[in-house]
Coordinates of all heavy atoms in Angstrom, one line a residue:
M346 N 4.9 -1.7 0.8 CA 4.2 -1.8 -0.5 C 4.9 -1.0 -1.6 O 5.1 -1.5 -2.7 CB 2.8 -1.3 -0.3 CG 1.9 -1.5 -1.5 SD 0.2 -1.0 -1.1 CE -0.7 -1.5 -2.5
T347 N 5.3 0.2 -1.2 CA 6.0 1.1 -2.2 C 7.4 0.5 -2.6 O 7.7 0.6 -3.8 CB 6.2 2.5 -1.6 OG1 4.9 3.0 -1.1 CG2 6.8 3.5 -2.6
T348 N 8.1 0.0 -1.6 CA 9.4 -0.5 -1.9 C 9.4 -1.8 -2.8 O 10.1 -1.9 -3.8 CB 10.2 -0.8 -0.6 OG1 10.2 0.3 0.2 CG2 11.6 -1.3 -0.8
T349 N 8.6 -2.8 -2.4 CA 8.6 -4.1 -3.1 C 8.0 -4.0 -4.5 O 8.3 -5.0 -5.3 CB 7.9 -5.2 -2.3 OG1 6.6 -4.8 -2.1 CG2 8.6 -5.4 -1.0
M350 N 7.3 -3.0 -4.8 CA 6.8 -2.8 -6.2 C 7.8 -3.0 -7.3 O 7.6 -3.6 -8.3 CB 6.1 -1.5 -6.4 CG 4.7 -1.4 -5.9 SD 3.9 0.2 -6.2 CE 2.2 -0.2 -5.7
L351 N 9.0 -2.5 -7.0 CA 10.1 -2.5 -7.9 C 10.8 -3.8 -8.1 O 11.5 -4.0 -9.0 CB 11.1 -1.4 -7.6 CG 10.6 0.1 -7.7 CD1 11.6 1.0 -7.1 CD2 10.2 0.4 -9.1
A352 N 10.5 -4.7 -7.2 CA 11.0 -6.1 -7.3 C 10.2 -6.9 -8.3 O 10.7 -8.0 -8.7 CB 11.1 -6.8 -6.0
S353 N 9.0 -6.5 -8.6 CA 8.1 -7.3 -9.5 C 8.7 -7.5 -10.9 O 8.5 -8.6 -11.5 CB 6.8 -6.6 -9.6 OG 6.8 -5.4 -10.2
S354 N 9.5 -6.6 -11.4 CA 10.0 -6.7 -12.7 C 11.0 -7.9 -12.8 O 10.9 -8.7 -13.7 CB 10.8 -5.4 -13.1 OG 11.4 -5.6 -14.4
W355 N 11.9 -8.0 -11.8 CA 12.8 -9.2 -11.7 C 12.0 -10.5 -11.6 O 12.3 -11.5 -12.2 CB 13.8 -9.0 -10.6 CG 14.8 -10.0 -10.5 CD1 16.0 -10.1 -11.1 CD2 14.8 -11.2 -9.7 NE1 16.7 -11.2 -10.8 CE2 16.0 -11.9 -9.9 CE3 13.8 -11.8 -8.9 CZ2 16.3 -13.2 -9.3 CZ3 14.1 -13.0 -8.3 CH2 15.3 -13.7 -8.5
L356 N 11.0 -10.5 -10.7 CA 10.2 -11.7 -10.5 C 9.5 -12.1 -11.8 O 9.4 -13.3 -12.1 CB 9.2 -11.5 -9.4 CG 9.9 -11.4 -8.0 CD1 8.8 -10.9 -7.0 CD2 10.5 -12.7 -7.5
L357 N 8.9 -11.1 -12.5 CA 8.2 -11.5 -13.8 C 9.2 -12.0 -14.8 O 8.9 -13.0 -15.5 CB 7.6 -10.2 -14.3 CG 6.3 -9.7 -13.6 CD1 6.0 -8.3 -14.1 CD2 5.2 -10.6 -13.9
D358 N 10.4 -11.5 -14.9 CA 11.4 -12.0 -15.8 C 11.8 -13.4 -15.5 O 12.1 -14.2 -16.4 CB 12.6 -11.1 -15.9 CG 12.3 -9.8 -16.6 OD1 11.3 -9.7 -17.4 OD2 13.1 -8.8 -16.4
H359 N 11.9 -13.8 -14.2 CA 12.5 -15.0 -13.8 C 11.4 -16.1 -13.6 O 11.7 -17.3 -13.8 CB 13.3 -14.9 -12.6 CG 14.7 -14.2 -12.8 ND1 14.8 -12.9 -13.1 CD2 15.9 -14.8 -12.9 CE1 16.1 -12.6 -13.3 NE2 16.8 -13.7 -13.2
F360 N 10.2 -15.8 -13.2 CA 9.2 -16.8 -12.8 C 7.9 -16.6 -13.6 O 7.1 -17.5 -13.6 CB 8.9 -16.7 -11.3 CG 10.1 -17.0 -10.5 CD1 10.7 -15.9 -9.8 CD2 10.7 -18.2 -10.3 CE1 11.9 -16.1 -9.0 CE2 11.8 -18.4 -9.6 CZ 12.4 -17.4 -8.9
G361 N 7.7 -15.5 -14.2 CA 6.4 -15.3 -15.0 C 5.3 -14.8 -14.0 O 5.4 -14.9 -12.8
V362 N 4.2 -14.3 -14.6 CA 3.2 -13.7 -13.8 C 2.4 -14.7 -13.1 O 1.9 -14.5 -12.0 CB 2.2 -12.8 -14.8 CG1 1.5 -13.7 -15.7 CG2 1.3 -12.0 -13.9
R363 N 2.3 -15.9 -13.6 CA 1.4 -17.0 -13.0 C 2.0 -17.4 -11.6 O 1.3 -17.4 -10.6 CB 1.3 -18.2 -13.9 CG 0.4 -19.3 -13.4 CD 0.2 -20.3 -14.6 NE -0.6 -21.4 -14.2 CZ -0.1 -22.7 -14.0 NH1 1.2 -22.9 -14.2 NH2 -0.8 -23.7 -13.6
K364 N 3.3 -17.8 -11.6 CA 3.9 -18.3 -10.4 C 4.1 -17.1 -9.4 O 3.8 -17.3 -8.2 CB 5.3 -18.9 -10.7 CG 5.2 -20.3 -11.3 CD 6.6 -20.8 -11.5 CE 6.6 -22.2 -12.1 NZ 8.0 -22.8 -12.3
T365 N 4.5 -16.0 -9.9 CA 4.7 -14.8 -9.0 C 3.5 -14.4 -8.3 O 3.4 -14.2 -7.1 CB 5.4 -13.7 -9.8 OG1 6.5 -14.1 -10.4 CG2 5.7 -12.5 -8.9
L366 N 2.4 -14.2 -9.1 CA 1.2 -13.7 -8.5 C 0.5 -14.7 -7.5 O 0.1 -14.4 -6.4 CB 0.2 -13.3 -9.6 CG -1.1 -12.6 -9.1 CD1 -0.8 -11.3 -8.4 CD2 -2.0 -12.3 -10.3
A367 N 0.5 -16.0 -7.9 CA 0.0 -17.0 -7.1 C 0.7 -17.1 -5.8 O 0.1 -17.2 -4.7 CB 0.0 -18.4 -7.8
T368 N 2.1 -17.1 -5.8 CA 2.9 -17.2 -4.6 C 2.6 -16.0 -3.7 O 2.5 -16.1 -2.5 CB 4.4 -17.3 -5.0 OG1 4.6 -18.4 -5.8 CG2 5.2 -17.4 -3.7
A369 N 2.6 -14.8 -4.3 CA 2.4 -13.6 -3.5 C 1.0 -13.6 -2.8 O 0.9 -13.2 -1.6 CB 2.6 -12.3 -4.4
M370 N 0.0 -14.0 -3.5 CA -1.3 -14.1 -2.9 C -1.4 -15.1 -1.8 O -2.1 -14.9 -0.8 CB -2.4 -14.3 -4.0 CG -2.7 -13.1 -4.8 SD -4.3 -13.2 -5.8 CE -3.8 -14.3 -7.1
F371 N -0.7 -16.2 -2.0 CA -0.7 -17.3 -1.0 C 0.0 -16.8 0.3 O -0.5 -17.0 1.4 CB 0.0 -18.5 -1.5 CG 0.0 -19.7 -0.5 CD1 -1.2 -20.3 -0.2 CD2 1.2 -20.0 0.1 CE1 -1.1 -21.4 0.8 CE2 1.2 -21.1 1.0 CZ 0.0 -21.8 1.3
L372 N 1.1 -16.1 0.1 CA 1.8 -15.6 1.3 C 1.0 -14.5 2.0 O 1.0 -14.4 3.2 CB 3.2 -15.1 0.9 CG 4.2 -16.1 0.4 CD1 5.5 -15.5 -0.1 CD2 4.5 -17.1 1.6
F373 N 0.4 -13.7 1.2 CA -0.5 -12.6 1.7 C -1.6 -13.2 2.6 O -1.9 -12.7 3.7 CB -1.1 -11.8 0.6 CG -1.9 -10.6 1.1 CD1 -1.3 -9.4 1.2 CD2 -3.2 -10.7 1.4 CE1 -2.0 -8.3 1.6 CE2 -4.0 -9.6 1.8 CZ -3.3 -8.4 2.0
T374 N -2.2 -14.4 2.1 CA -3.2 -15.0 2.9 C -2.7 -15.5 4.3 O -3.3 -15.3 5.3 CB -3.7 -16.3 2.1 OG1 -4.2 -15.8 0.8 CG2 -4.8 -17.0 2.8
L375 N -1.5 -16.1 4.3 CA -0.9 -16.6 5.5 C -0.6 -15.5 6.5 O -0.9 -15.6 7.7 CB 0.3 -17.4 5.2 CG 0.2 -18.7 4.4 CD1 1.5 -19.4 4.2 CD2 -0.8 -19.7 5.1
I376 N 0.0 -14.4 5.9 CA 0.4 -13.3 6.8 C -0.9 -12.6 7.4 O -0.9 -12.2 8.5 CB 1.2 -12.3 5.9 CG1 2.5 -12.9 5.6 CG2 1.4 -11.0 6.7 CD1 3.3 -12.1 4.5
S377 N -2.0 -12.5 6.6 CA -3.2 -11.9 7.1 C -3.8 -12.7 8.3 O -4.2 -12.1 9.3 CB -4.2 -11.8 6.0 OG -3.8 -11.0 4.9
V378 N -3.8 -14.0 8.1 CA -4.3 -14.9 9.2 C -3.4 -14.7 10.4 O -3.9 -14.6 11.6 CB -4.4 -16.3 8.7 CG1 -4.8 -17.2 9.9 CG2 -5.4 -16.5 7.6
A379 N -2.1 -14.7 10.2 CA -1.2 -14.6 11.4 C -1.4 -13.3 12.1 O -1.4 -13.2 13.3 CB 0.2 -14.7 10.9
G380 N -1.6 -12.2 11.3 CA -1.8 -10.9 11.9 C -3.1 -10.8 12.7 O -3.2 -10.1 13.7
G381 N -4.1 -11.5 12.3 CA -5.4 -11.6 13.0 C -5.3 -12.2 14.4 O -6.0 -11.9 15.3
F382 N -4.3 -13.1 14.5 CA -4.0 -13.8 15.8 C -2.9 -13.1 16.6 O -2.5 -13.7 17.6 CB -3.7 -15.2 15.6 CG -4.9 -16.1 15.1 CD1 -5.0 -16.6 13.9 CD2 -5.9 -16.3 16.0 CE1 -6.1 -17.4 13.5 CE2 -7.0 -17.1 15.7 CZ -7.1 -17.6 14.4
A383 N -2.4 -12.0 16.2 CA -1.3 -11.3 16.8 C -1.6 -11.1 18.3 O -2.7 -10.7 18.7 CB -1.0 -10.0 16.1
S384 N -0.6 -11.3 19.2 CA -0.8 -11.2 20.6 C 0.0 -10.0 21.1 O 0.0 -9.7 22.3 CB -0.3 -12.5 21.3 OG 1.0 -12.7 21.0
S385 N 0.7 -9.2 20.3 CA 1.4 -8.1 20.7 C 1.4 -7.1 19.5 O 1.3 -7.4 18.4 CB 2.9 -8.4 21.0 OG 3.6 -8.8 19.9
P386 N 1.6 -5.8 19.8 CA 1.7 -4.8 18.7 C 2.8 -5.0 17.8 O 2.7 -4.7 16.6 CB 1.8 -3.4 19.5 CG 2.3 -3.8 20.9 CD 1.7 -5.1 21.2

Side-chain angles (χ1 to χ4, degrees):
M346 187 178 186
T347 305
T348 303
T349 58
M350 277 183 172
L351 294 174
S353 62
S354 178
W355 184 87
L356 292 170
L357 285 168
D358 285 342
H359 285 74
F360 302 105
V362 67
R363 182 170 177 254
K364 285 184 179 180
T365 303
L366 188 61
T368 302
M370 283 196 285
F371 181 70
L372 292 175
F373 186 93
T374 303
L375 295 181
I376 293 168
S377 299
V378 172
F382 288 111
S384 58
S385 69

